[in-house]
């Protein structure tokens, strides 16, 4: 029976190589007449002058032409160059040998230290897991950040957004989480970063100890839009591979906004109409497809942190609003708090973890709510307190808020090298703000 099936397959093999031919280049896109290909297929463009080939991807069609976008520089592509399709979307090589290495968007090591070991191919474009097969999030995951573990507890398989403007401490916070997390493995994607910041993050924020248990994917701002998108897809695929191996993976993508901007470039180049704030519809279709791939599965979990750049303090701009509606919680970094010397500059009153109620004890919840109430009361009366207009004894709630404010500030502040244990952070919270405290 197997021999018959094999003969049948051989009889259906196309023994001809079919090529297309470049006819036009317009902006980011390369047009070719042929070959027969599908959206997302990887193609080889053979350069006539340099006798080498360039990888490109099919991003659309126009009349009888195939619209291609190269992964790398298109400077040497000229009319008449031959195009050959691989017949399949991008695949990357993944195994445990990648741990401790820095790779590009195609999964190729940038540090040149990876031994040439056989690794299985894994597709970068996959469907999210069936929602009915996803286990519920019932187990907390330590992040090593006291204010998150105590007041915004994250569960294994949860997806959180970190929303902030530039220079408020997103990268530093990600590095602290990567070094101190209880996850088995970190997969970190640096998308659209300045070239200088890559080494800064790896050596200063992540450190050698963090890199030993991490895989870092880098797509700098000078790279084509397609490479920036593939960086996020490749990082997600690597995390999925290790999740299927039974690992609890921590995925961090910095930043989701730059991924959306890269998709905007591609969508507009392919002829999509601009809609909300210039973003075409494909951006808002791509976001849930990417974000829903993480989370829990029957074999393991991917806990994900996505940073979202907020321009001008507008937390309701299109990408922020769309991401907040998909994710399982958000952490707001406040520039005003950073200017006051609170690091990490997490605005606890504006941040929320949507699964915290399901994964912590009632004592923990009560203590966290009490701290929030004191902090909200202090923030509401802060101007009166600062100018001396508040008279002590006028309000018991404000008096309590003033009394506890130094304790709250001490709890929220944390130096980069401080590594509080999760249980220690919770016990400290309950000791100061639990029932019967004070």
């Amino acid at each position: 029976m197997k021999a018959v099936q094999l003969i049948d397959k051989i009889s259906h093999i196309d023994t001809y190589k079919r090529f297309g031919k470049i006819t036009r280049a317009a902006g980011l896109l390369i047009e070719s007449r042929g070959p027969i290909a599908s959206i997302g297929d990887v193609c080889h463009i053979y350069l006539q002058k340099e006798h080498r080939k360039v990888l490109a991807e099919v991003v659309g069609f126009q009349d009888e032409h195939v619209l291609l976008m190269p992964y790398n520089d298109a400077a040497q592509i000229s009319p008449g160059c031959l195009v050959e399709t691989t017949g399949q979307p991008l695949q990357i090589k993944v195994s445990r040998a990648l741990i401790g290495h820095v790779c590009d968007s195609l999964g190729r090591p940038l540090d040149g230290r990876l031994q040439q070991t056989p690794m299985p191919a894994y597709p970068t474009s996959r469907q999210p897991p069936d929602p009915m097969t996803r286990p519920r999030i019932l187990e907390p995951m330590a992040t090593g950040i006291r204010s998150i573990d105590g007041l915004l507890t994250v569960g294994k398989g949860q997806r959180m957004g970190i929303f902030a403007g530039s220079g408020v401490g997103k990268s530093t916070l990600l590095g602290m989480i990567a070094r101190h997390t209880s996850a088995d493995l970190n997969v970190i994607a640096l998308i659209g970063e300045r070239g200088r910041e890559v080494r800064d993050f790896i050596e200063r924020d992540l450190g050698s100890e963090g890199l030993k248990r991490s895989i870092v994917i880098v797509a700098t701002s000078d790279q084509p839009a397609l490479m920036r998108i593939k960086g996020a897809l490749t990082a997600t695929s690597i995390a999925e591979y290790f999740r299927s191996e039974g690992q609890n993976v921590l995925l961090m993508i910095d930043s989701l906004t730059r991924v959306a901007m890269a998709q905007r470039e591609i969508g507009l180049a392919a002829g999509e109409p601009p809609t909300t704030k210039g973003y075409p519809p494909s951006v808002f279709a791509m976001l849930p497809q990417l974000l829903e791939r993480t989370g829990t599965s029957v074999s393991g979990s991917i806990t994900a942190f996505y940073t979202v750049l907020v321009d001008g303090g507008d937390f309701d701009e299109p990408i922020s609003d769309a991401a907040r509606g998909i994710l399982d919680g958000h952490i707001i970094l406040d520039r005003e708090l950073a200017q006051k010397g609170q690091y990490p500059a997490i605005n606890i009153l504006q941040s929320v973890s949507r699964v915290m109620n399901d994964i912590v004890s009632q004592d923990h919840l009560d203590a966290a709510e009490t701290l929030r109430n004191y902090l909200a009361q202090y923030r509401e009366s802060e101007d009166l307190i600062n100018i001396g207009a508040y008279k002590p004894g006028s309000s018991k709630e404000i008096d309590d808020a003033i009394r506890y404010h130094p304790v709250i500030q001490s709890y929220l502040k944390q130096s980069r090298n401080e590594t509080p244990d999760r249980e220690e952070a919770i016990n400290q919270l309950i000791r100061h703000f639990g029932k019967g405290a004070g």
Side-chain angles (χ1 to χ4, degrees):
M1 184 65 181
K2 289 183 178 180
V4 174
Q5 291 175 342
L6 186 60
I7 292 171
D8 184 60
K9 285 184 178 180
I10 293 174
S11 64
H12 286 85
I13 290 176
D14 187 355
T15 56
Y16 290 92
K17 278 193 173 183
R18 289 174 169 80
F19 294 90
K21 186 174 287 188
I22 299 297
T23 59
R24 180 171 177 264
L28 302 177
L29 293 180
I30 307 295
E31 290 187 12
S32 73
R33 186 177 292 276
I36 298 174
S38 303
I39 294 286
D41 282 358
V42 175
C43 295
H44 297 297
I45 300 176
Y46 292 87
L47 303 181
Q48 296 174 331
K49 296 180 180 179
E50 298 190 6
H51 304 289
R52 64 183 178 90
K53 55 189 178 182
V54 172
L55 285 177
E57 184 172 306
V58 179
V59 297
F61 306 99
Q62 186 171 11
D63 299 328
E64 296 180 359
H65 290 85
V66 178
L67 303 181
L68 300 162
M69 187 167 286
Y71 286 126
N72 296 308
D73 187 16
Q76 300 300 319
I77 297 175
S78 59
C81 289
L82 296 181
V83 181
E84 181 185 13
T85 179
T86 63
Q88 59 186 10
L90 179 66
Q91 294 188 331
I92 56 172
K93 301 290 187 179
V94 190
S95 76
R96 294 194 64 83
L98 286 179
I99 298 175
H101 291 277
V102 181
C103 305
D104 68 5
S105 296
L106 305 183
R108 302 172 300 197
L110 294 173
D111 49 23
R113 294 184 292 108
L114 183 63
Q115 296 179 352
Q116 296 299 319
T117 56
M119 293 188 286
Y122 205 75
T124 59
S125 297
R126 295 171 58 86
Q127 291 299 314
D130 185 334
M132 294 306 295
T133 65
R134 289 181 183 266
R136 292 182 60 207
I137 299 172
L138 298 173
E139 186 179 351
M141 188 194 77
T143 64
I145 309 298
R146 184 166 46 238
S147 52
I148 295 178
D149 288 341
L151 303 167
L152 302 166
T153 307
V154 175
K156 289 182 179 178
Q158 185 173 355
R159 302 160 305 160
M160 293 285 283
I162 300 175
F163 294 74
S166 57
V168 189
K170 295 186 303 299
S171 296
T172 302
L173 181 61
L174 289 181
M176 290 172 67
I177 294 173
R179 291 197 307 272
H180 307 319
T181 179
S182 61
D184 300 322
L185 172 71
N186 304 319
V187 180
I188 305 168
L190 304 177
I191 309 299
E193 292 281 359
R194 304 176 189 91
R196 172 188 61 80
E197 293 177 332
V198 173
R199 287 287 293 270
D200 284 348
F201 175 82
I202 293 171
E203 296 181 6
R204 181 193 63 199
D205 298 326
L206 186 59
S208 58
E209 289 302 314
L211 185 59
K212 286 179 183 177
R213 54 199 295 254
S214 303
I215 300 171
V216 182
I217 306 297
V218 174
T220 51
S221 58
D222 60 296
Q223 295 186 5
L226 193 58
M227 286 291 276
R228 281 174 269 148
I229 289 180
K230 290 302 175 185
L233 294 175
T234 294
T236 304
S237 297
I238 292 173
E240 287 175 321
Y241 170 82
F242 286 102
R243 178 178 64 183
S244 68
E245 297 288 310
Q247 302 284 305
N248 293 311
V249 184
L250 177 64
L251 171 67
M252 293 187 282
I253 294 183
D254 182 17
S255 73
L256 190 65
T257 305
R258 294 190 180 115
V259 176
M261 288 177 175
Q263 180 61 41
R264 178 172 64 181
E265 289 182 41
I266 294 174
L268 294 177
E272 284 189 71
T275 53
T276 310
K277 292 271 184 89
Y279 288 98
S282 62
V283 173
F284 301 100
M286 177 267 295
L287 285 176
Q289 290 173 357
L290 175 65
L291 302 183
E292 287 291 344
R293 288 171 60 180
T294 57
T296 58
S297 75
V298 292
S299 53
S301 69
I302 301 174
T303 307
F305 286 88
Y306 302 93
T307 67
V308 180
L309 283 168
V310 181
D311 293 329
D314 181 11
F315 287 90
D316 294 321
E317 58 93 23
I319 301 305
S320 298
D321 196 47
R324 201 163 49 242
I326 300 168
L327 298 171
D328 305 317
H330 51 270
I331 297 170
I332 304 296
L333 298 186
D334 193 322
R335 189 178 302 277
E336 185 178 341
L337 294 178
Q339 291 170 348
K340 292 179 179 179
Q342 178 183 314
Y343 290 100
I346 299 174
N347 190 322
I348 296 299
L349 299 179
Q350 293 182 10
S351 306
V352 66
S353 170
R354 290 181 179 150
V355 304
M356 180 174 175
N357 290 1
D358 298 327
I359 59 177
V360 302
S361 67
Q362 190 60 48
D363 287 343
H364 183 173
L365 273 179
D366 292 341
E369 187 62 29
T370 300
L371 185 149
R372 282 176 175 269
N373 289 337
Y374 286 146
L375 187 58
Q377 192 69 245
Y378 187 90
R379 293 270 173 87
E380 188 177 332
S381 309
E382 188 169 12
D383 290 340
L384 293 174
I385 296 168
N386 288 339
I387 64 174
Y390 174 73
K391 183 179 178 181
S394 301
S395 167
K396 182 181 183 304
E397 290 78 10
I398 297 178
D399 289 343
D400 289 342
I402 294 173
R403 180 161 60 94
Y404 278 104
H405 189 65
V407 180
I408 293 173
Q409 290 302 105
S410 175
Y411 188 83
L412 297 180
K413 289 182 179 180
Q414 181 178 332
S415 67
R416 282 174 49 192
N417 298 321
E418 188 179 352
T419 58
D421 179 73
R422 178 179 174 273
E423 293 301 322
E424 174 190 337
I426 295 170
N427 291 336
Q428 185 179 347
L429 180 69
I430 295 174
R431 185 168 62 251
H432 289 297
F433 302 101
K435 290 181 178 178

